[in-house]
Amino acid sequence: MIEDVVAWVLLAAVAAYACAGGTDYGAGFWDLVAGGTVRGRRPRWLIDHAMEPVWETNNVWLVFVLVIMWTGFPVLFQTVFTAMWLPLALAAVGLVLRGAGFALRKPTRSLARRRVYGAAFAVSSLLTPFFLGAAVGGLATGRVAPGTEASADAWSSGTSVIAGLLTISATAFLGAVFLTADARRFDAADLVGYFRLRAWCSLGALAVLAAVGLVVTRDEARYVHDGLTSGIGLALVLTSVACALATAVLLHRTLTGWARVTAIASVALVVLAWGLAQRPYLIPTSLTVSEAAGAPTTLRWLMLVTLVATVLVGPLLFLLYRLDTRGTLQPLTDTDLDPRRASADREREVP
């Protein structure tokens, strides 16, 4: 049925945002804990250079998720944004502050203002994924259903807190893995070991939180818990664990290119496992895919637009990510932007 196809597309878009956007949030997390001005100068230098070419692009996946929810599953969209308006509003504010902080801190000459913008970027990189994860955890508990009014009870359970912390840890893991690869690409040998250690630490935090989450969800989100601990959900979770362990080994051997692939796979597989664990519900156990779906004509047009967008935008996004990971895209420096140098270069080009 067409609504099932749209639901799979929505799940794939969520997984894409978890990986692409999660990497950016993870870089912001390590920016936050990098230390003071002197101690954190080198890590923040790498974070700026690594993120600059693609940081705005990753929000395309979030827009894609929202469009599919709003158009394809209007009941789901209304329910989620009514019951979870506060954590989602806080996440949206974090997105705006994060983008503004990252964009403004580098060109700002005042040290005090750079610290303010840097703090806005770093703190928002922590809070935004937490509130997004808390909202997902709240949905898994079954406390939200069509018609549910907004309340703190909908997203303040133990499952919500664990889901928020797991989201932060997953972004930190992705960010550290990619920054290790970027450190190698920029020939920053000291930062390779720096971020590799942090990738291992965040992986350990993920393991602890996942173990706690299994206990918490058994009581508060039993439907999702059962789906994750049996059948295809369990198979995907175990495959994700294998990919995470492979990432740790690959980082030890400094095979950072393959480490990025396995890190992405580990996070994407968990998202897919979570979605499959909820079948046939979009909100366990009150709203199924068929109940939430829009009109068949709307769904058909949505799939057509999705196909066109995939054909037109997909290859360009792939090319952008490919060029960035190969180090082809480099930000302009102050020297590049100096009009006097540009004028001198033009004069030298004149025969």
Side-chain angles (χ1 to χ4, degrees):
M1 298 176 67
I2 190 169
E3 59 265 28
D4 294 322
V5 177
V6 177
W8 277 105
V9 173
L10 175 60
L11 182 60
V14 172
Y17 183 62
C19 295
T23 302
D24 274 357
Y25 290 131
F29 174 84
W30 296 119
D31 186 290
L32 177 65
V33 300
T37 304
V38 176
R39 181 184 173 189
R41 179 179 290 113
R42 288 278 290 165
R44 291 190 178 103
W45 165 84
L46 179 64
I47 290 168
D48 282 344
H49 282 71
M51 287 183 59
E52 213 162 25
V54 296
W55 70 277
E56 291 181 301
T57 307
N58 293 323
N59 285 325
V60 169
W61 299 110
L62 178 60
V63 174
F64 197 35
V65 170
L66 294 177
V67 169
I68 295 177
M69 283 183 62
W70 180 34
T71 309
F73 302 102
V75 178
L76 172 67
F77 187 89
Q78 179 185 18
T79 303
V80 171
F81 279 83
T82 298
M84 300 286 187
W85 75 267
L86 182 56
L88 294 177
L90 292 173
V93 171
L95 277 171
V96 174
L97 292 178
R98 183 177 181 275
F102 183 77
L104 294 174
R105 75 170 178 176
K106 189 172 182 179
T108 301
R109 301 302 180 186
S110 169
L111 179 60
R113 290 184 179 180
R114 289 189 68 178
R115 286 175 174 172
V116 171
Y117 293 140
F121 162 70
V123 173
S124 298
S125 297
L126 176 70
L127 296 180
T128 299
F130 174 81
F131 286 119
L132 290 175
V136 173
L139 294 176
T141 62
R143 299 186 182 190
V144 176
T148 300
E149 297 294 330
S151 68
D153 181 66
W155 59 279
S156 60
S157 63
T159 300
S160 294
V161 174
I162 288 295
L165 294 177
L166 278 169
T167 304
I168 292 174
S169 298
T171 61
F173 172 62
L174 285 173
V177 171
F178 271 71
L179 287 169
T180 303
D182 289 324
R184 188 182 179 193
R185 172 161 59 93
F186 284 108
D187 293 324
D190 58 321
L191 294 178
V192 171
Y194 177 92
F195 283 111
R196 179 170 55 192
L197 175 61
R198 280 148 182 78
W200 290 336
C201 291
S202 57
L203 186 58
L206 270 173
V208 173
L209 289 170
V212 175
L214 284 175
V215 176
V216 173
T217 56
R218 184 176 56 194
D219 297 326
E220 295 185 352
R222 191 55 185 255
Y223 191 89
V224 174
H225 173 89
D226 291 343
L228 290 173
T229 55
S230 62
I232 189 171
L234 178 60
L236 289 175
V237 170
L238 293 177
T239 307
S240 172
V241 172
C243 288
L245 294 176
T247 303
V249 174
L250 290 169
L251 287 176
H252 176 69
R253 300 180 62 182
T254 326
L255 299 174
T256 53
W258 285 106
R260 286 186 303 219
V261 174
T262 53
I264 289 175
S266 66
V267 173
L269 287 170
V270 168
V271 175
L272 294 176
W274 190 286
L276 287 172
Q278 296 188 172
R279 290 183 305 170
Y281 296 101
L282 288 175
I283 302 179
T285 52
S286 60
L287 186 65
T288 64
V289 172
S290 58
E291 291 170 345
T297 302
T298 302
L299 294 178
R300 284 194 289 269
W301 277 104
L302 178 61
M303 288 305 302
L304 177 61
V305 172
T306 299
L307 179 61
V308 172
T310 301
V311 172
L312 294 179
V313 180
L316 298 178
L317 285 175
F318 176 80
L319 177 62
L320 177 63
Y321 289 138
R322 185 65 173 170
L323 292 176
D324 180 51
T325 54
R326 286 189 168 187
T328 305
L329 302 178
Q330 297 297 338
L332 295 176
T333 64
D334 292 339
T335 303
D336 297 324
L337 299 175
D338 189 342
R340 292 170 297 180
R341 178 183 175 88
S343 177
D345 289 341
R346 284 195 298 269
E347 290 176 1
R348 284 195 295 268
E349 292 174 359
V350 176

